[in-house]
Amino acid sequence: MKKLLIMMRPPLAAILLLINIFLVGCGGGGGSSDDSDSPVNTQPQANAGADQTVVSLQYVILSGSGSDNDGAVVSYQWTQLSGSAVNLSDSDTAVASFNAPSVTVSETLEFNLSVTDDDDETTVDSVSIRVNPMVTLSLPSFGPDVSQCPATAVDRGATVIHVCDCQTGADSGCVHGDDTGSGDATNPLRSIAAAVAAFNNGSDLAFCRGGVWHNDSALALESGSCDSNSPCTMQDYGDAALARPLIRITQSGHVNGLSFDTHSDPERWEGIRIQNLHISKQSQDGEGFGLFLFRNINDVTMSCLEVDGFGIGVHLNSNSLESGDVTLSDSYLHDNGSMGWLGGTHRTLLERNRFHNNGWLNASMFLHNVYLTQMRSDGIVRGNWLSDSSVDANGHCVGAGLVAHNDNSTNLLIENNLIEESNPSPGCWGLTVDAAGASTESHYNAIIRGNVVRNVGNLSIGISSCVDCIIENNIVVQTVFGGAIGIASPNRLTTAPDVDVSGTIVRNNSVYFGGTASGRAYYVGERGSSYVVTNNIGYFANPQAGDSCYDFDLPASTYSMVNSNLCFGAIFDSGTTGMDGMASNSDPLFLNAPDDLRLGVASPARNSGTNLSAPTIDILGNTRDTAPDQGAYETF
C-alpha cells in the first residue's frame, strides 16, 4: 500500500502549477499586474520602393520608407542580395544611392531594406534594379532610314496598272512592257502617257524597278477618285536588287515632274501615296518643281523618294485653310536650284530626309534647303540632315538651311535635325523661326530641341515674332566663323503688325566656340519679356577680346528666371544684368569636344542644373533626374 501511495504522488512541477493558478485566480501572489493588459507590439512597415531599369554607370536612388503604427522607426538598413557589388551610400537611411556597375549585358541587382522599430521588431522589403548596357551614341540619328525603304513586296490598291520602260540608263535586267498589254505585273504597259491616263481614270500605278522613262513634259495628274479610305498609289514593283524607277524630265525650263493640280479651286486632293520613285530633271537646270501639290491638299504621304535637278524639290502650295496631313519621309532632295522643300499646311511632317545643295541657282539669302511656310498648326520637322544650303559660285553657303516664316503657326516642333555647312558666309544661318515678309506673321508655342547646328555662319539658332517658344537640348558648334551668335532671341527686327518676341525659354543647350570662332554663345535680350534662361553651357576654347557666353542686355525685371548657367573661357555676361547667383565659371569637361559634348565623369556640370525649368528628357531621349545636368546631355 505504501508503495502505491508513493507512485500516485503528483510531480512537484504539477503541484507548483496548481498553486500558481490558485493564487492568480484569487488575486494573490504578491499583487503583480495582469499580463493581459500589456499591448502586443505591431511590426513596422517597410517599403523598398518601385523596381527600376537603369543603364551602366547611372546614378541610382533607392527611395525607401518605413513606418510604425504603435511607436517609431529607429533604424534602416539597406543590404545588397545579388548582382555585381556596388558601393551603397547612406545605406543606414531610408534613401540610399549608388552608381550602377558597367555591364555589357543586362543584369539585375536585388536589395533588401530592413526597418526596425523601438521594440526591436524588424520588417524587410526588397527591390530589383535592372541594369542595361549604356547607349554609347553621342548624337541622335539623322537622315533617311534605309530600313524604311525596302522594295514594295505587294501591290497596293484595288486596281493597279503596272508600267515598265527601259530607256537609256535602265538596269540590264529591265524588260519593257507594251501599251497594248493588260497592265498586270507580267504584261505591263510601257509609256508615261499610258500611266498618266490610267491614274487619272482611277487606277493605282506601279513602276518597274530598274526602269527608266524619259518624258518631255510634266506628269499632269488630275484623278478625282482619291480619298483617305481608298488612296491613290504610285509605287515600285519587281526585283528588289534593281534600282528604283527613274522618271526623268527631258525638257528644260519651268517644267514639273509630278504635278497634282485639279485646275479647279473647289476640288481637292485627298489620299495620295507615293513611294520608292526617283524624279529627276535631265538638264539639272534648277527650274520647275519635282513634285507640285496645289490647292486643297489632304492626307498625302511621300516616302523613299529621290528628287533632283528642279527648282524646288517638293512644293506644297495649299490655298485652303482646311488642308492638312502631308508627310515627306526617308527621302533625298538634292541639287535643286531654289529649295529642297517649300510650303506647308496643318500637320505637315518632314522626317528623316536628306537635303543637300539646294538653292544654288542665283544663290542668295532668300534660298534655302528647307523653307517652311503656311505651316499653320502642329507641324513637325524631325530627324533631317541638311547641308550646303544656297551655295554660290565661290562655294560659300549664303542662305539659311532651315527657315520658318511668312506664316502664322502654332505648335511647330523642330527636333533632332543636323544642320551643317562646309563653307559658311555671314548670310549663311542655320535654323530660324521668325518673320520676313509683308504679311502679318507670328509663331506661338514653337519648340526647337535636340538639334545639332555646326559651322553655319554668324547665327546658328534664332527666333523672332515667337511667343512662348522653347529652345532646349540643342548643340551648337562654331569653329571657323568670327563674330557669331550661337542662340539668339530675338534674331532680327520685328515690324508691325508682326507680333514681337516674348516668353522665350532657353534651357539645357550646349554651345561650343573653338578654332577661330568668336562672338556670343547666347544673346537673349534687345527686346521681349518674361525670358527664362537655365542650365545652359557656353564654352570658348580660344577666347578672344569681346567674347562672352551670355548677353543679357535688358533690365533684370525682363527675365523671369536666369539660373544655373555655366560659362568657360570667355566672360560670363557682356550685358547689363550681371551673373545670377547660381551661375558658374568652370570647365564642363566635355568628353571629346567639339565632336562629343557629353560630360565627363568629373564634370562640374553634372547634377548642377535647376529643376525649376528643365526639359524632362535630354538630346538622346534619356530621362532627366531631379538634379538635372547642365547642357544638352543627361549623364549617368
Side-chain angles (χ1 to χ4, degrees):
M1 187 70 177
K2 182 177 179 181
K3 182 177 180 181
L4 181 61
L5 290 173
I6 293 172
M7 293 177 64
M8 294 181 64
R9 181 180 299 167
L12 178 59
I15 295 172
L16 293 175
L17 177 60
L18 291 171
I19 293 172
N20 185 55
I21 293 172
F22 174 78
L23 291 174
V24 170
C26 295
S32 63
S33 63
D34 190 341
D35 288 346
S36 64
D37 293 337
S38 298
V40 177
N41 181 57
T42 301
Q43 285 190 319
Q45 296 180 343
N47 183 356
D51 294 344
Q52 301 179 51
T53 300
V54 300
V55 296
S56 291
L57 305 179
Q58 182 173 337
Y59 179 71
V60 183
I61 298 176
L62 299 174
S63 298
S65 63
S67 61
D68 187 30
N69 292 333
D70 59 354
V73 173
V74 296
S75 68
Y76 299 88
Q77 186 61 54
W78 287 95
T79 306
Q80 184 173 358
L81 301 179
S82 65
S84 299
V86 301
N87 294 320
L88 282 169
S89 299
D90 301 318
S91 60
D92 58 353
T93 66
V95 179
S97 62
F98 64 93
N99 289 317
S102 177
V103 299
T104 56
V105 296
S106 297
E107 180 181 351
T108 299
L109 315 181
E110 294 185 359
F111 300 87
N112 267 357
L113 172 63
S114 300
V115 177
T116 303
D117 68 8
D118 49 4
D119 277 309
D120 205 30
E121 292 277 359
T122 298
T123 302
V124 177
D125 190 30
S126 62
V127 65
S128 295
I129 309 297
R130 183 175 179 81
V131 183
N132 292 326
M134 179 182 288
V135 177
T136 57
L137 293 175
S138 62
L139 294 175
S141 297
F142 309 110
D145 181 353
V146 294
S147 69
Q148 303 294 322
C149 297
T152 304
V154 295
D155 289 335
R156 296 170 57 182
T159 304
V160 180
I161 295 297
H162 299 76
V163 187
C164 193
D165 201 356
C166 307
Q167 299 184 27
T168 303
D171 285 357
S172 59
C174 179
V175 178
H176 67 73
D178 191 303
D179 284 353
T180 63
S182 61
D184 60 31
T186 57
N187 297 284
L189 304 183
R190 181 173 184 175
S191 69
I192 285 292
V196 170
F199 186 85
N200 289 341
N201 286 326
S203 295
D204 295 310
L205 294 180
F207 296 88
C208 65
R209 295 188 70 91
V212 175
W213 291 259
H214 294 169
N215 203 62
D216 63 358
S217 60
L219 280 66
L221 306 169
E222 301 181 14
S223 176
S225 63
C226 312
D227 61 51
S228 296
N229 295 322
S230 180
C232 297
T233 301
M234 302 180 70
Q235 62 178 42
D236 60 322
Y237 79 95
D239 189 348
L242 302 181
R244 287 180 295 190
L246 169 59
I247 299 173
R248 177 174 287 140
I249 303 301
T250 58
Q251 184 178 347
S252 61
H254 191 85
V255 181
N256 301 330
L258 303 184
S259 181
F260 295 85
D261 182 1
T262 62
H263 296 287
S264 177
D265 282 334
E267 296 183 20
R268 59 188 278 164
W269 278 105
E270 178 178 290
I272 303 172
R273 306 289 181 265
I274 310 170
Q275 66 178 34
N276 280 343
L277 300 179
H278 183 182
I279 315 297
S280 181
K281 189 80 172 290
Q282 180 172 294
S283 64
Q284 296 284 301
D285 61 4
E287 295 190 36
F289 311 142
L291 284 85
F292 183 43
L293 301 144
F294 191 41
R295 295 191 170 90
N296 194 340
I297 305 295
N298 286 270
D299 188 18
V300 177
T301 300
M302 299 167 281
S303 62
C304 303
L305 305 178
E306 182 174 355
V307 185
D308 63 273
F310 293 91
I312 299 173
V314 177
H315 186 190
L316 174 56
N317 186 0
S318 171
N319 62 358
S320 171
L321 295 177
E322 298 177 358
S323 293
D325 301 298
V326 177
T327 295
L328 175 71
S329 65
D330 299 295
S331 296
Y332 181 28
L333 280 67
H334 62 97
D335 298 296
N336 296 290
S338 296
M339 316 277 182
W341 168 279
L342 173 63
T345 187
H346 295 289
R347 298 173 301 281
T348 296
L349 171 62
L350 305 183
E351 186 167 38
R352 299 187 306 271
N353 301 293
R354 177 80 167 97
F355 297 92
H356 175 73
N357 194 36
N358 298 293
W360 53 267
L361 182 67
N362 300 317
S364 73
M365 61 182 293
F366 301 108
L367 303 182
H368 317 286
N369 263 318
V370 174
Y371 187 166
L372 306 173
T373 182
Q374 299 179 337
M375 290 292 282
R376 300 193 175 110
S377 66
D378 303 303
I380 298 175
V381 182
R382 175 192 293 135
N384 302 284
W385 179 11
L386 294 77
S387 61
D388 292 344
S389 177
S390 189
V391 174
D392 65 14
N394 296 316
H396 292 100
C397 162
V398 296
L402 194 160
V403 167
H405 56 218
N406 270 353
D407 202 356
N408 292 285
S409 72
T410 59
N411 303 325
L412 174 62
L413 173 60
I414 302 175
E415 69 173 349
N416 293 354
N417 301 284
L418 170 61
I419 304 173
E420 59 183 355
E421 298 295 338
S422 57
N423 197 4
S425 73
C428 176
W429 295 2
L431 188 170
T432 65
V433 177
D434 54 22
S439 61
T440 302
E441 300 182 44
S442 63
H443 303 279
Y444 289 88
N445 304 311
I447 299 175
I448 301 171
R449 71 184 178 202
N451 301 285
V452 177
V453 184
R454 295 194 292 225
N455 289 329
V456 295
N458 68 354
L459 176 66
S460 297
I461 298 175
I463 62 173
S464 69
S465 298
C466 210
V467 178
D468 296 332
C469 297
I470 298 174
I471 304 173
E472 64 184 19
N473 289 337
N474 298 285
I475 291 174
V476 170
V477 174
Q478 285 279 9
T479 62
V480 298
F481 203 80
I485 300 176
I487 294 175
S489 175
N491 66 297
R492 63 165 71 222
L493 294 173
T494 298
T495 304
D498 296 341
V499 299
D500 209 347
V501 65
S502 65
T504 303
I505 297 175
V506 181
R507 61 191 183 187
N508 285 94
N509 301 283
S510 297
V511 176
Y512 174 94
F513 277 58
T516 59
S518 64
R520 294 170 287 181
Y522 302 86
Y523 179 30
V524 184
E526 184 182 336
R527 304 189 319 278
S529 61
S530 303
Y531 281 121
V532 172
V533 186
T534 58
N535 302 343
N536 299 287
I537 294 176
Y539 186 102
F540 284 80
N542 304 302
Q544 303 174 38
D547 287 348
S548 65
C549 292
Y550 303 89
D551 189 344
F552 305 132
D553 63 358
L554 292 172
S557 59
T558 308
Y559 300 89
S560 298
M561 183 187 304
V562 177
N563 201 331
S564 301
N565 297 294
L566 182 148
C567 174
F568 178 75
I571 63 172
F572 186 92
D573 179 20
S574 62
T576 59
T577 64
M579 184 186 299
D580 68 276
M582 298 299 294
S584 62
N585 288 98
S586 54
D587 189 341
L589 301 178
F590 294 132
L591 284 181
N592 186 27
D595 298 320
D596 190 346
L597 300 188
R598 288 179 295 174
L599 303 175
V601 174
S603 171
R606 288 191 173 205
N607 301 318
S608 297
T610 176
N611 60 11
L612 297 177
S613 180
T616 57
I617 60 173
D618 74 349
I619 188 174
L620 296 177
N622 297 314
T623 301
R624 291 192 183 271
D625 55 34
T626 54
D629 294 350
Q630 295 167 315
Y633 293 98
E634 185 73 10
T635 50
F636 305 106

